[in-house]
Amino acid sequence: MKTPNEKPVQSLPCRHLRTKRMYIPALAEGALDSENYRDDQAFYWCNKTLTALGQDDEQVHPCVCQPGRSCHET
């Protein structure tokens, strides 16, 4: 049972999720950490489809590219 102050545990997003932030050395570490994308307007893409849609034709973003999604890989 969660307490009101307990934050939900966020898993690591799919290993194929990409954002430009990952390629900037000063920002690369933790680029996909939940604190960094909560109100994020960055562009994300799937490295398998090379578009903003995953292999399941759904939008990609660290919040939705999580375990349980049909195309998710760790």
Side-chain angles (χ1 to χ4, degrees), residues 28-46:
E29 187 173 328
L32 297 176
D33 288 349
S34 61
E35 293 81 31
N36 294 335
Y37 63 76
R38 189 162 287 145
D39 296 319
D40 191 9
Q41 296 296 314
F43 179 77
Y44 293 92
W45 68 91
C46 173

Side-chain angles (χ1 to χ4, degrees), residues 8-73:
V9 176
Q10 189 78 20
S11 300
L12 288 177
C14 179
R15 67 186 182 115
H16 298 292
L17 183 66
R18 297 289 186 268
T19 182
K20 287 182 183 179
R21 188 179 297 142
M22 297 171 80
Y23 300 99
I24 302 171
L27 302 174
E29 187 173 328
L32 297 176
D33 288 349
S34 61
E35 293 81 31
N36 294 335
Y37 63 76
R38 189 162 287 145
D39 296 319
D40 191 9
Q41 296 296 314
F43 179 77
Y44 293 92
W45 68 91
C46 173
N47 210 36
K48 282 196 158 189
T49 63
L50 302 177
T51 69
L53 299 177
Q55 289 182 301
D56 58 359
D57 291 326
E58 296 292 328
Q59 195 73 24
V60 298
H61 188 275
C63 291
V64 296
C65 292
Q66 296 289 322
R69 189 165 170 174
S70 63
C71 55
H72 182 273
E73 291 183 31

